[in-house]
Amino acid sequence: MSSTLTSEQNHGIVKSVDGTSISWSRSGSGPDLVMVHCVGVSRVTTPQPTLADALAEHFTVWTYDRRGKGESGNAAEYEVQREIEDLTAIIGLAAGPVTAYGFSSGATLALIAAEAGAPIERLALLEPPLYDEADSDHHLRDEGVRKLAEGHDVLHRWFQTDVVGVPDEVLAELPPPSAENLRDAPTLLHELTFLPGTPAVRFASVKQPTLVIASESTAPDILVWARELEEAMPNARAVVYPGEWHGVDDTTLTRAISDFVGAGTA
């Protein structure tokens, strides 16, 4: 698909395997890097709104709206395989080997895609959540469906407090969800489908060089998961940087990812 793009084409639509339209943007120059955004956000509503520009100083950065969010389409039924196909379609637009950068649940999704054989050269992951227990009966997703029936805002708050575990003091400092966030709230159910059953040992077969980044001020579980991934995956390295709860600044992230890709090893 990369051959169909001109050097001036910096945004567009790519069709996924099931025909769903996935909206993308491209910026910068250098090695190809695809950003996989976290739960319930688009390229516009991402909590890392300036990171793509920072990375574009060193990379050709591809960003896209995951299905059901922003300008991308959706399907009546959700399957994580479709998201793997979406990411693979974006990777297919790139000219060369691709680094997948994922944040939070987007990082976990990138791991799942790599496990499934998506053509990812290396992985840079910021604080991927891991949920050891599988949910074969979909109790968690079903509870999300019940919350959604009460309202998009009810589902959004429940996800933040009960699923993510945002501390009260952090939640109090966050801006209220935007109209766009609430519009895309039903896609929170996507994460409730693919996050259960993701212990670190699941990804032992992922051999790509992988950098797992965490903030020293983040939730203790996230630090544990980063170390577990380092132990379970053959070519993973975990690093901890100064930061905030569930976040590291753009400058630190850009330097870490640039050094990682430039070194050619995890």
Side-chain angles (χ1 to χ4, degrees):
M1 282 182 284
S2 58
S3 62
T4 65
L5 296 180
T6 67
S7 59
E8 294 79 22
Q9 188 175 350
N10 291 320
H11 58 87
I13 296 290
V14 64
K15 291 288 187 179
S16 195
V17 172
D18 69 344
T20 298
S21 297
I22 303 298
S23 183
W24 59 268
S25 300
R26 176 175 64 176
S27 60
S29 61
D32 289 288
L33 181 145
V34 174
M35 297 182 69
V36 186
H37 293 299
C38 63
V39 64
V41 303
S42 68
R43 291 168 293 173
V44 173
T45 59
T46 171
Q48 297 181 304
T50 56
L51 180 58
D53 287 342
L55 288 168
E57 295 294 322
H58 306 271
F59 298 96
T60 298
V61 179
W62 302 83
T63 61
Y64 71 103
D65 292 339
R66 286 172 50 197
R67 59 176 52 216
K69 307 171 182 66
E71 297 177 341
S72 288
N74 206 358
E77 299 293 332
Y78 178 78
E79 296 180 43
V80 70
Q81 179 61 30
R82 303 289 82 79
E83 291 235 51
I84 296 169
E85 292 163 357
D86 300 345
L87 175 55
T88 299
I90 298 297
I91 292 172
L93 298 172
V98 165
T99 296
Y101 164 76
F103 170 48
S104 193
S105 61
T108 310
L109 179 60
L111 272 171
I112 292 171
E115 177 200 26
I120 297 168
E121 180 77 8
R122 60 186 63 241
L123 293 152
L125 310 174
L126 177 60
E127 302 203 346
L130 303 179
Y131 287 72
D132 288 0
E133 296 298 322
D135 186 22
S136 56
D137 293 327
H138 302 298
H139 292 306
L140 186 62
R141 188 185 66 190
D142 290 347
E143 179 62 18
V145 171
R146 286 190 286 271
K147 296 296 182 182
L148 177 60
E150 298 177 40
H152 287 202
D153 57 333
V154 174
L155 173 62
H156 192 278
R157 183 171 181 83
W158 171 80
F159 192 96
Q160 295 274 57
T161 56
D162 289 42
V163 179
V164 179
V166 179
D168 291 340
E169 62 273 17
V170 173
L171 193 63
E173 295 177 357
L174 294 176
S178 66
E180 291 84 357
N181 286 136
L182 292 179
R183 179 200 63 201
D184 292 345
T187 65
L188 298 175
L189 303 179
H190 297 179
E191 262 71 357
L192 299 180
T193 304
F194 72 73
L195 283 176
T198 53
V201 294
R202 170 176 169 175
F203 304 108
S205 64
V206 177
K207 296 181 171 58
Q208 287 94 327
T210 300
L211 183 68
V212 186
I213 304 167
S215 162
E216 64 183 10
S217 300
T218 199
D221 282 349
I222 288 177
L223 295 172
V224 171
W225 293 330
R227 295 303 181 192
E228 288 178 345
L229 286 170
E230 181 179 52
E231 293 172 4
M233 296 171 62
N235 294 306
R237 178 165 61 94
V239 294
V240 179
Y241 291 112
E244 56 191 15
W245 185 88
H246 207 30
V248 174
D249 68 89
D250 291 354
T251 300
T252 301
L253 281 175
T254 299
R255 182 174 62 248
I257 296 169
S258 298
D259 290 348
F260 167 61
V261 174
T265 60

Coordinates of all heavy atoms in Angstrom, one line a residue, residues 111-145:
L111 N 1.3 -5.2 22.0 CA 1.8 -6.5 22.4 C 1.0 -7.7 21.8 O 1.5 -8.6 21.3 CB 1.9 -6.6 23.9 CG 3.1 -6.1 24.6 CD1 2.9 -6.1 26.1 CD2 4.3 -6.9 24.3
I112 N -0.3 -7.5 21.9 CA -1.2 -8.6 21.4 C -1.0 -8.7 19.8 O -1.0 -9.8 19.3 CB -2.7 -8.2 21.7 CG1 -2.9 -8.4 23.2 CG2 -3.6 -9.2 21.0 CD1 -4.2 -7.9 23.7
A113 N -0.9 -7.6 19.2 CA -0.7 -7.6 17.7 C 0.7 -8.3 17.4 O 0.7 -9.1 16.4 CB -0.7 -6.2 17.2
A114 N 1.7 -7.9 18.1 CA 3.0 -8.6 17.9 C 2.9 -10.1 18.1 O 3.5 -10.9 17.3 CB 4.1 -7.9 18.7
E115 N 2.3 -10.5 19.2 CA 2.1 -11.9 19.5 C 1.4 -12.6 18.3 O 1.7 -13.8 18.0 CB 1.3 -12.0 20.8 CG 0.9 -13.5 21.1 CD -0.2 -13.6 22.1 OE1 -1.1 -12.7 22.1 OE2 -0.3 -14.6 22.9
A116 N 0.4 -11.9 17.7 CA -0.4 -12.5 16.6 C 0.3 -12.5 15.3 O -0.2 -13.0 14.3 CB -1.7 -11.8 16.5
G117 N 1.5 -11.9 15.2 CA 2.3 -11.9 14.0 C 2.3 -10.6 13.2 O 2.7 -10.7 12.0
A118 N 1.7 -9.6 13.7 CA 1.7 -8.3 12.9 C 3.2 -7.9 12.6 O 4.1 -8.1 13.4 CB 1.0 -7.2 13.8
P119 N 3.4 -7.3 11.5 CA 4.8 -7.0 11.0 C 5.4 -5.8 11.7 O 5.7 -4.7 11.1 CB 4.6 -6.7 9.5 CG 3.2 -6.2 9.4 CD 2.4 -6.9 10.4
I120 N 5.6 -6.0 13.0 CA 6.2 -4.9 13.8 C 7.7 -5.3 14.0 O 8.0 -6.4 14.4 CB 5.5 -4.8 15.2 CG1 4.0 -4.4 15.0 CG2 6.2 -3.9 16.1 CD1 3.2 -4.6 16.3
E121 N 8.6 -4.3 13.8 CA 10.0 -4.5 13.9 C 10.5 -4.5 15.3 O 11.3 -5.2 15.8 CB 10.8 -3.5 13.1 CG 12.3 -3.6 13.1 CD 12.8 -4.7 12.2 OE1 12.0 -5.3 11.5 OE2 14.0 -5.0 12.3
R122 N 9.9 -3.5 16.1 CA 10.3 -3.3 17.5 C 9.1 -2.6 18.2 O 8.3 -2.0 17.5 CB 11.6 -2.6 17.7 CG 11.7 -1.2 17.1 CD 13.1 -0.6 17.2 NE 14.0 -1.4 16.4 CZ 15.1 -2.0 16.9 NH1 15.3 -2.0 18.2 NH2 15.9 -2.7 16.2
L123 N 9.1 -2.7 19.5 CA 8.0 -2.2 20.3 C 8.6 -1.2 21.4 O 9.5 -1.5 22.1 CB 7.3 -3.3 21.0 CG 6.5 -4.3 20.2 CD1 6.4 -5.6 20.9 CD2 5.1 -3.8 19.9
A124 N 8.0 0.0 21.5 CA 8.2 0.9 22.5 C 6.9 1.1 23.3 O 5.9 1.6 22.7 CB 8.8 2.2 22.0
L125 N 6.9 0.7 24.5 CA 5.6 0.6 25.3 C 5.7 1.5 26.5 O 6.6 1.3 27.4 CB 5.3 -0.8 25.6 CG 5.4 -1.8 24.5 CD1 5.3 -3.3 25.1 CD2 4.4 -1.6 23.4
L126 N 4.7 2.4 26.7 CA 4.6 3.2 27.9 C 3.5 2.6 28.8 O 2.3 2.7 28.4 CB 4.3 4.7 27.6 CG 4.1 5.6 28.8 CD1 5.4 5.6 29.7 CD2 3.8 7.0 28.3
E127 N 3.9 2.0 29.9 CA 3.0 1.6 30.9 C 1.8 0.7 30.4 O 0.6 1.0 30.6 CB 2.5 2.8 31.7 CG 3.6 3.5 32.3 CD 3.3 4.4 33.5 OE1 2.1 4.6 33.8 OE2 4.2 4.8 34.3
P128 N 2.1 -0.4 29.8 CA 1.0 -1.3 29.4 C 0.4 -2.0 30.6 O 1.1 -2.6 31.4 CB 1.7 -2.3 28.5 CG 3.1 -2.3 28.9 CD 3.4 -0.9 29.4
P129 N -1.0 -1.9 30.8 CA -1.6 -2.7 31.8 C -1.8 -4.1 31.5 O -2.0 -4.5 30.3 CB -3.0 -2.0 31.9 CG -3.3 -1.5 30.6 CD -1.9 -1.1 30.0
L130 N -1.6 -5.0 32.5 CA -1.7 -6.4 32.3 C -2.7 -7.0 33.2 O -2.7 -6.7 34.4 CB -0.4 -7.1 32.5 CG 0.8 -6.7 31.6 CD1 2.1 -7.4 32.0 CD2 0.5 -6.8 30.1
Y131 N -3.7 -7.7 32.7 CA -4.7 -8.3 33.5 C -4.6 -9.8 33.5 O -4.9 -10.5 32.5 CB -6.1 -7.9 33.0 CG -6.4 -6.4 33.3 CD1 -5.8 -5.4 32.6 CD2 -7.4 -6.1 34.3 CE1 -6.1 -4.1 32.9 CE2 -7.6 -4.7 34.6 CZ -7.0 -3.7 33.9 OH -7.3 -2.4 34.1
D132 N -4.1 -10.4 34.6 CA -3.8 -11.8 34.6 C -5.0 -12.7 34.4 O -4.9 -13.7 33.6 CB -3.1 -12.2 36.0 CG -1.7 -11.6 36.1 OD1 -1.2 -11.0 35.2 OD2 -1.1 -11.9 37.1
E133 N -6.1 -12.3 35.0 CA -7.2 -13.2 35.0 C -8.0 -13.1 33.6 O -8.3 -12.0 33.2 CB -8.2 -12.9 36.1 CG -7.6 -13.2 37.5 CD -7.3 -14.6 37.7 OE1 -8.1 -15.5 37.2 OE2 -6.2 -14.9 38.3
A134 N -8.3 -14.2 33.0 CA -9.1 -14.2 31.8 C -10.5 -13.9 32.2 O -10.9 -14.1 33.4 CB -9.0 -15.5 31.1
D135 N -11.3 -13.5 31.3 CA -12.7 -13.2 31.5 C -13.6 -13.9 30.5 O -14.2 -13.3 29.6 CB -13.0 -11.7 31.5 CG -14.4 -11.3 31.9 OD1 -15.1 -12.1 32.6 OD2 -14.8 -10.2 31.6
S136 N -13.5 -15.3 30.5 CA -14.1 -16.0 29.4 C -15.6 -15.8 29.3 O -16.2 -16.0 28.2 CB -13.8 -17.5 29.6 OG -14.2 -18.0 30.8
D137 N -16.2 -15.5 30.4 CA -17.7 -15.3 30.4 C -18.0 -13.8 30.2 O -19.2 -13.5 30.3 CB -18.3 -15.8 31.7 CG -18.2 -17.3 31.9 OD1 -18.3 -18.0 30.9 OD2 -18.0 -17.8 33.0
H138 N -17.0 -13.0 30.0 CA -17.2 -11.6 29.7 C -18.0 -10.8 30.8 O -18.8 -9.9 30.5 CB -17.9 -11.4 28.4 CG -17.2 -12.1 27.2 ND1 -15.9 -11.7 26.8 CD2 -17.5 -13.1 26.4 CE1 -15.5 -12.4 25.8 NE2 -16.5 -13.3 25.6
H139 N -17.7 -11.2 32.1 CA -18.4 -10.5 33.2 C -18.1 -9.0 33.2 O -18.9 -8.1 33.4 CB -18.1 -11.1 34.5 CG -18.6 -12.5 34.7 ND1 -20.0 -12.8 34.5 CD2 -18.0 -13.7 35.0 CE1 -20.2 -14.1 34.7 NE2 -19.0 -14.7 35.0
L140 N -16.8 -8.7 33.0 CA -16.3 -7.3 33.0 C -17.0 -6.5 31.9 O -17.5 -5.4 32.1 CB -14.8 -7.2 33.0 CG -14.2 -5.9 33.2 CD1 -14.5 -5.3 34.5 CD2 -12.7 -5.9 33.0
R141 N -16.9 -7.1 30.7 CA -17.5 -6.3 29.6 C -19.0 -6.2 29.7 O -19.6 -5.1 29.4 CB -17.2 -7.1 28.3 CG -17.7 -6.3 27.0 CD -17.5 -7.2 25.8 NE -18.4 -8.3 25.8 CZ -18.3 -9.3 24.9 NH1 -17.3 -9.3 23.9 NH2 -19.1 -10.3 24.9
D142 N -19.7 -7.2 30.3 CA -21.1 -7.1 30.5 C -21.5 -6.0 31.5 O -22.5 -5.3 31.4 CB -21.7 -8.5 31.0 CG -21.6 -9.5 29.9 OD1 -21.4 -9.1 28.7 OD2 -21.8 -10.7 30.2
E143 N -20.6 -5.9 32.5 CA -20.8 -4.8 33.5 C -20.7 -3.4 32.8 O -21.4 -2.5 33.0 CB -19.8 -4.9 34.6 CG -20.0 -3.8 35.7 CD -21.3 -3.8 36.4 OE1 -22.1 -4.8 36.3 OE2 -21.7 -2.7 37.0
G144 N -19.7 -3.4 31.9 CA -19.5 -2.1 31.1 C -20.8 -1.9 30.2 O -21.2 -0.7 30.1
V145 N -21.3 -2.9 29.6 CA -22.6 -2.7 28.9 C -23.7 -2.2 29.7 O -24.4 -1.3 29.3 CB -23.0 -4.1 28.2 CG1 -24.4 -3.9 27.6 CG2 -21.9 -4.5 27.2

